[in-house]
Amino acid sequence: MIDLKFLRENADVVRQSQLTRGANPDLVDELIAADEARRIAIKAADELKSEQNAFGKKIGQATPEERPALLQGSNELKAKVKAAEEARKAAEATVTDLQMQIDNVVEGAPAGGEDDFVVLEHVGEPSSFDFEPKDHLDLGLSLGLIDMDRGAKVGGARFYYLTGDGAFLQLGMLTLAAQKAKAAGFTLMIPPVLVRPEVMSGTGFLGAHSDEIYYLERDDLYLVGTSEVALAGYHQDEIIDLSQGPVKYAGWSSCFRREAGSYGKDTRGILRVHQFDKLEMFVYCKPEDAAAQHQALLDMERDMLKAVEVPYRIIDVAGGDLGSSAARKFDTEAWIPTQQTYRELTSTSNCTTFQARRLRTRYRDENGKAQVAATLNGTLATTRWLVAILENNQQADGSVIVPEALRPFVGKDVLEPIK
């Protein structure tokens, strides 16, 4: 949710942010007008309340002869106060509705849409082979790691089983990520995967892409697409202590996405599925520390990607491709040999005060005054990483070399085809 004080003082900045996102800049002027109307309504209601209080004292001091006429006037004033209060509530509701429609203010992201990202860095060389490489699903089948057919039989399209060494490969990757997060000062969490509507809305996920989310109507609960949601809600309506520095959590959970609108896209294998596991970093910090924390999360992702030995690039995501809560987002994309392109593995977003303002999460500054916190998130490992690990580490005989950092968890140096 946008800060109204910032909006009043920086309307042009917010308009430009809306244009950068490809969103409606007219909402800015609508909100400014609604905010002015709200303040007028508040003033009118307060003045009538003061008048009512003064009138009450006058009645108390009146003679028996004067009181009937004064009581009649009191009833008329009471009706005016009630009407003014209703007008105030309506004006405040209009402001809140418009606030919820305006996305976070972009900070430094390039303008444009999905294809207008800026490549910041390449790490490693794209893998090349002197044989015809197999894609991750063919490898997964021949190595006994992935079973898509039975996944579809049990759950439908885009469901799967990770079997045998495939399960250990994922567990090892996530455990390694959890260990790295702990060493960096993150508290490991296994959060709920079902959340209330106000938490899902507070994190900004019930906007344009709400059709991607599974909703349990009978229970009025949402299945999370990332543990970011539950971790953001963890300190809802709280004042947290940031005097010793940022508060950092790492959430390990299953995640669920309907993949609405992706019909025909990435239907083969486990690149785009309805259920997956993820280790998500989440940070609460002071707003002035958010940019530095964003770089720290990106460095954590760099370290983890180095450990699993895949070539990748880092991109600065364009404004039109940002989620509503992100002011800036960096994606890491791994090279996928059989597709001859880079595909997203992780993202890290600086959400500034947008989510915390919606969820009323604050901290006390050096003067003891409550201020809105900033929040950030970043993926440290997830199921789709197996796609890049398998394809980039395959050998001519159909085997796959296990990245050294994962060998203690898998118990093997090489995954051999099942005979």
Side-chain angles (χ1 to χ4, degrees):
M1 183 183 293
I2 192 167
D3 180 6
L4 289 175
K5 183 175 183 293
F6 181 89
L7 176 73
R8 295 182 204 117
E9 297 173 354
N10 303 275
D12 287 341
V13 173
V14 184
R15 287 190 197 95
Q16 184 56 53
S17 174
Q18 289 288 96
L19 290 170
T20 298
R21 287 179 173 274
N24 182 7
D26 293 341
L27 286 172
V28 176
D29 296 302
E30 290 179 35
L31 180 52
I32 289 172
D35 179 43
E36 179 62 25
R38 177 187 66 91
R39 287 191 286 171
I40 292 170
I42 290 172
K43 183 180 178 182
D46 288 346
E47 287 175 350
L48 282 169
K49 281 182 182 178
S50 296
E51 186 179 342
Q52 186 182 41
N53 291 336
F55 205 82
K57 292 178 182 178
K58 189 176 181 180
I59 292 172
Q61 297 167 357
T63 65
E65 293 78 14
E66 296 171 326
R67 188 162 294 171
L70 290 173
L71 287 173
Q72 176 63 32
S74 175
N75 289 334
E76 293 174 0
L77 187 55
K78 184 179 179 181
K80 289 181 180 179
V81 169
K82 182 179 178 181
E85 274 297 302
E86 290 175 352
R88 177 188 63 80
K89 290 178 182 178
E92 289 180 340
T94 299
V95 167
T96 300
D97 178 63
L98 288 167
Q99 271 186 291
M100 296 292 274
Q101 293 181 49
I102 295 181
D103 297 334
N104 201 358
V105 178
V106 174
E107 292 187 356
E114 183 178 359
D115 299 325
D116 297 309
F117 58 83
V118 174
V119 178
L120 301 178
E121 182 180 355
H122 284 90
V123 179
E125 294 295 326
S127 301
S128 59
F129 305 97
D130 57 4
F131 58 90
E132 185 68 28
K134 296 180 179 179
D135 73 6
H136 74 279
L137 182 55
D138 283 340
L139 290 166
L141 291 171
S142 65
L143 299 169
L145 312 177
I146 303 170
D147 192 332
M148 297 297 299
D149 290 342
R150 291 186 177 91
K153 178 177 70 174
V154 172
R158 299 185 191 271
F159 284 96
Y160 59 96
Y161 286 85
L162 293 180
T163 57
D165 291 333
F168 277 108
L169 196 61
Q170 172 166 289
L171 286 170
M173 177 179 61
L174 292 169
T175 301
L176 178 63
Q179 290 175 343
K180 286 181 175 292
K182 180 182 178 182
F186 288 77
T187 298
L188 185 63
M189 309 275 271
I190 298 180
V193 297
L194 286 165
V195 300
R196 298 175 185 272
E198 58 267 29
V199 177
M200 188 65 79
S201 175
T203 49
F205 284 95
L206 290 185
H209 298 288
S210 59
D211 59 347
E212 296 288 335
I213 303 169
Y214 284 104
Y215 175 57
L216 282 67
E217 188 172 0
R218 286 180 59 185
D219 304 285
D220 195 23
L221 294 171
Y222 289 91
L223 274 167
V224 300
T226 167
S227 58
E228 169 195 344
V229 179
L231 296 177
Y234 189 64
H235 288 302
Q236 181 182 6
D237 293 316
E238 295 181 19
I239 296 178
I240 59 177
D241 183 8
L242 296 180
S243 61
Q244 303 303 308
V247 173
K248 302 187 289 186
Y249 299 115
W252 181 334
S253 74
S254 292
C255 305
F256 305 87
R257 295 184 184 173
R258 292 184 62 240
E259 291 295 347
S262 65
Y263 181 79
K265 295 179 181 178
D266 299 317
T267 56
R268 181 174 170 79
I270 60 171
L271 194 60
R272 192 188 296 267
V273 290
H274 292 309
Q275 178 183 338
F276 53 94
D277 283 4
K278 185 151 71 86
L279 197 291
E280 184 78 1
M281 302 176 288
F282 195 86
V283 175
Y284 294 90
C285 68
K286 297 177 181 179
E288 60 266 28
D289 297 332
Q293 288 300 311
H294 199 192
Q295 289 298 322
L297 290 178
L298 184 58
D299 286 342
M300 291 283 293
E301 292 175 345
R302 283 189 178 101
D303 181 57
M304 187 65 193
L305 287 165
K306 180 180 178 182
V308 298
E309 301 175 20
V310 295
Y312 66 95
R313 69 182 183 184
I314 300 171
I315 66 169
D316 194 351
V317 177
D321 198 30
L322 294 174
S324 65
S325 60
R328 196 173 192 183
K329 182 171 77 165
F330 302 122
D331 282 356
T332 66
E333 300 180 328
W335 177 255
I336 306 300
T338 59
Q339 296 186 16
Q340 288 293 292
T341 191
Y342 289 92
R343 300 300 301 269
E344 179 191 337
L345 289 193
T346 77
S347 65
T348 176
S349 298
N350 179 3
C351 297
T352 60
T353 60
F354 187 84
Q355 293 176 329
R357 181 169 285 103
R358 288 180 171 216
L359 294 167
R360 299 168 298 283
T361 304
R362 299 176 296 166
Y363 71 99
R364 294 199 183 279
D365 62 20
E366 60 275 8
N367 298 315
K369 185 178 179 181
Q371 304 284 0
V372 179
T375 62
L376 304 98
N377 62 80
T379 303
L380 202 52
T382 189
T383 299
R384 67 162 49 190
W385 285 35
L386 300 181
V387 175
I389 291 171
L390 292 175
E391 290 206 16
N392 283 286
N393 290 285
Q394 63 180 295
Q395 305 297 298
D397 62 358
S399 64
V400 170
I401 296 175
V402 179
E404 186 174 352
L406 300 182
R407 292 174 190 173
F409 306 102
V410 180
K412 295 179 179 179
D413 294 355
V414 180
L415 302 176
E416 303 280 356
I418 294 174
K419 298 179 181 179

